[in-house]
Amino acid sequence: MPVTAHAYRCLYDEYPKHPEAAVMVTVLQAYQFALDPTPRKRGSLASHAGAALFAYNWGLELVTIRLEQRRAGQDVQVPWTLAELRREWNRAKHDVAPWWAENSKEAYNSGLDALARALKNWSDSRNGLRKGRPIGFPRRKKKRRARVACRFTTGAVRVLPDRKHVQLPRIGVVKTHESTRKLARRLEQGTARILAATITRRADRWYVSFTVEVQRTISTSNGRAGVVGVDVGVRHLAVLSTGQTIPNPRPLERSQRKLRRLNRQLARRKPSSRRRSRTRRRLARVHARAANLRRDGLHTLTTSLATQHGTVVVEQLNVAGMVRNRRLARAIADTGMGELRRLLGYKTGWYGCRLVVADRFFPSSKTCSGCGWVKAKLTLAERTFCCETCGLVMDRDLNAARNLAKLVELIVAAGSGPEALNARGADRKSQRAGQVAVKREAGTEHHSGQTGTVQPQG
């Protein structure tokens, strides 16, 4: 089978290319902890999240009015950036929100920053500066449907030495449900610095996520020489070229019975009643459990792949197009294919593993892993691959995984190995000549509109 530049794309971290070399790099990493707040602290957390929502809706209403005045011919300034929105808020906060002093200033800044990013994304989408589907104009957030969150970038954001409490601006000290030792150890050693903290509420439980600048020692090789191909699917979470099959936990599918029962109860409850709120919280907990089970399975799989193999080969799947199939949309979303690819993107760099991403149009399922014969058409109903040339009969997913594992050998045999292995790919097809575009690691880019960072710890 001929191998061209369109058949592969390699993602390698830009570290020294010596087998024994190790380098100290600075990465952005998130640490999330569940909280156990008292009733008073719970009210304070909800007040800050509500303040961020209020500031977002107020700023959106102001921008909408200014745009209508400009269309009418009036010479008015439309606040578009975070600095302009904050300037307008400081002028009007005494009239529109006399209670503004009850919450930290970061709560209002969080809502205005979300609005500024939404306006920028909309304008970039209209001008063709943003990839993907077109983005509509920002809409007003509703209290019952909007994400309950607030972000703190300045002030007293700390992890206390007892490893059981955290401190947040204006909210004070809040007890954590779990130990914070993983982050506290790095802060005590001086290898981490907290940049921001975000509080969120999911399924009636509060969480705090710390955005931390961490110094990690990363080697260019984990000492493993094996190459493994990973074929993700719906029947199985992943099928490896070694013959190992990772079962799919299917958390959402297994929760359907509870979800149907709770949805029927919710439909019978009287609106704005206490029982309706109780049923809604129970329904949210079932969804949160399904999401946690899915996340745990993906983290377990990606960590084992990055630590036990020297090279991991996966496919670049068009998940957004696959979920348009109404018969398979829920099953595909339940597997988390896109999340698996994202997790491998940074874990392979952390553990010294190499990641090779096959192109979206690489025929891994239609190609015979024995002789290289390519089948013209292969439907989803055909679960067994039968080669008409060599007579190979093999499971469809295992055949695709072995073709992905052989892709590295085919690239090296084609004479494009060293140049391709040193290139970092962008999410597009590779060109026939030259190096593909360089893409930054997730979480290392500079965020515009950032107001500052909290004081360093450790």
Side-chain angles (χ1 to χ4, degrees):
M1 180 181 62
V3 179
T4 62
H6 292 275
Y8 64 89
R9 184 175 72 254
C10 300
L11 299 181
Y12 281 78
D13 289 311
E14 298 173 350
Y15 304 134
K17 303 303 176 182
H18 303 288
E20 299 83 6
V23 64
M24 181 71 72
V25 297
T26 302
V27 298
L28 292 183
Q29 188 172 343
Y31 289 85
Q32 186 181 79
F33 305 101
L35 300 176
D36 279 340
T38 61
R40 179 174 295 181
K41 296 295 183 182
R42 186 182 294 269
S44 182
L45 292 171
S47 177
H48 280 73
L53 179 66
F54 178 85
Y56 179 93
N57 290 333
W58 174 86
L60 180 60
E61 183 179 0
L62 177 64
V63 171
T64 304
I65 294 176
R66 295 286 179 86
L67 288 176
E68 292 177 355
Q69 293 176 352
R70 176 173 291 185
R71 293 191 193 100
Q74 301 182 19
D75 186 13
V76 294
Q77 181 182 4
V78 181
W80 206 258
T81 62
L82 175 60
E84 296 172 352
L85 290 171
R86 290 183 61 179
R87 192 178 303 113
E88 294 288 345
W89 167 258
N90 290 330
R91 294 172 182 172
K93 63 183 179 181
H94 298 282
D95 299 329
V96 299
W99 38 263
W100 66 271
E102 298 177 3
N103 302 306
S104 172
K105 64 175 183 178
E106 288 295 302
Y108 312 103
N109 181 79
S110 177
L112 297 177
D113 180 59
L115 176 60
R117 287 185 282 108
L119 293 173
K120 183 179 183 302
N121 292 337
W122 174 72
S123 60
D124 291 347
S125 179
R126 288 191 62 190
N127 299 329
L129 302 178
R130 181 183 174 88
K131 297 181 181 179
R133 302 175 61 182
I135 297 179
F137 190 79
R139 293 182 294 181
R140 181 181 178 86
K141 291 185 178 181
K142 298 182 179 179
K143 180 179 179 181
R144 297 294 182 183
R145 296 185 178 182
R147 178 173 178 260
V148 181
C150 178
R151 182 180 175 88
F152 302 94
T153 56
T154 60
V157 179
R158 298 187 181 90
V159 176
L160 300 188
D162 62 357
R163 303 181 180 181
K164 295 181 181 179
H165 295 82
V166 296
Q167 184 176 359
L168 300 173
R170 201 58 186 271
I171 298 176
V173 178
V174 184
K175 186 179 184 299
T176 58
H177 183 74
E178 50 193 331
S179 176
T180 61
R181 61 181 179 273
K182 291 185 178 181
L183 177 57
R185 288 172 182 171
R186 288 190 174 273
L187 294 174
E188 294 170 359
Q189 296 171 1
T191 59
R193 184 170 67 97
I194 297 179
L195 301 180
T198 304
I199 57 172
T200 55
R201 188 180 65 187
R202 298 194 306 271
D204 205 31
R205 175 173 283 280
W206 286 94
Y207 297 86
V208 58
S209 300
F210 293 99
T211 303
V212 186
E213 192 178 61
V214 180
Q215 297 179 4
R216 300 180 65 99
T217 302
I218 300 179
S219 60
T220 57
S221 176
N222 57 3
R224 307 281 183 171
V227 179
V228 61
V230 183
D231 182 77
V232 296
V234 175
R235 294 181 59 190
H236 307 288
L237 180 60
V239 177
L240 309 184
S241 58
T242 58
Q244 183 181 2
T245 300
I246 310 299
N248 188 0
R250 304 179 184 233
L252 183 60
E253 181 178 344
R254 295 184 178 182
S255 305
Q256 286 303 311
R257 184 176 180 180
K258 292 183 179 179
L259 292 175
R260 284 192 294 267
R261 177 169 54 85
L262 291 175
N263 277 302
R264 287 195 298 266
Q265 291 182 6
L266 185 66
R268 292 194 294 264
R269 302 303 186 194
K270 184 178 179 180
S272 302
S273 64
R274 187 174 300 176
R275 289 188 176 183
R276 183 180 178 87
S277 300
R278 186 189 310 151
T279 305
R280 186 173 59 248
R281 289 194 297 267
R282 293 177 59 189
L283 185 65
R285 283 196 293 267
V286 176
H287 279 290
R289 174 176 171 78
N292 291 335
L293 290 174
R294 183 186 306 111
R295 189 180 301 111
D296 178 73
L298 292 175
H299 275 287
T300 302
L301 173 60
T302 52
T303 301
S304 63
L305 290 175
T307 55
Q308 298 177 7
H309 303 279
T311 303
V312 179
V313 187
V314 294
E315 287 183 293
Q316 181 71 32
L317 299 175
N318 182 18
V319 182
M322 295 168 63
V323 295
R324 295 178 184 176
N325 186 342
R326 64 183 183 89
R327 298 177 183 269
L328 299 175
R330 186 167 65 187
I332 292 175
D334 197 14
T335 59
M337 297 180 181
E339 183 69 6
L340 185 141
R341 164 68 182 81
R342 187 189 71 85
L343 295 177
L344 281 175
Y346 70 85
K347 286 189 178 182
T348 51
W350 284 3
Y351 299 112
C353 180
R354 298 179 297 179
L355 176 63
V356 179
V357 181
D359 190 84
R360 178 179 301 178
F361 303 99
F362 177 67
S364 59
S365 300
K366 299 180 181 180
T367 305
C368 177
S369 59
C371 63
W373 174 76
V374 180
K375 195 171 185 178
K377 186 176 182 181
L378 185 66
T379 62
L380 290 176
E382 301 179 42
R383 305 311 308 172
T384 302
F385 180 85
C386 300
C387 181
E388 300 178 3
T389 303
C390 64
L392 175 67
V393 179
M394 186 181 295
D395 181 75
R396 170 200 182 110
D397 298 333
L398 179 58
N399 178 70
R402 292 187 176 181
N403 284 325
L404 291 173
K406 289 184 177 181
L407 185 59
V408 177
E409 301 177 3
L410 294 174
I411 295 172
V412 176
S416 59
E419 292 79 6
L421 297 183
N422 291 336
R424 293 197 63 196
D427 289 334
R428 61 178 177 82
K429 294 178 65 176
S430 303
Q431 302 296 329
R432 292 190 177 273
Q435 188 177 9
V436 293
V438 174
K439 186 178 70 174
R440 292 181 178 178
E441 186 69 16
T444 59
E445 67 273 11
H446 175 71
H447 298 278
S448 60
Q450 189 175 4
T451 57
T453 58
V454 299
Q455 297 297 327
Q457 297 189 31

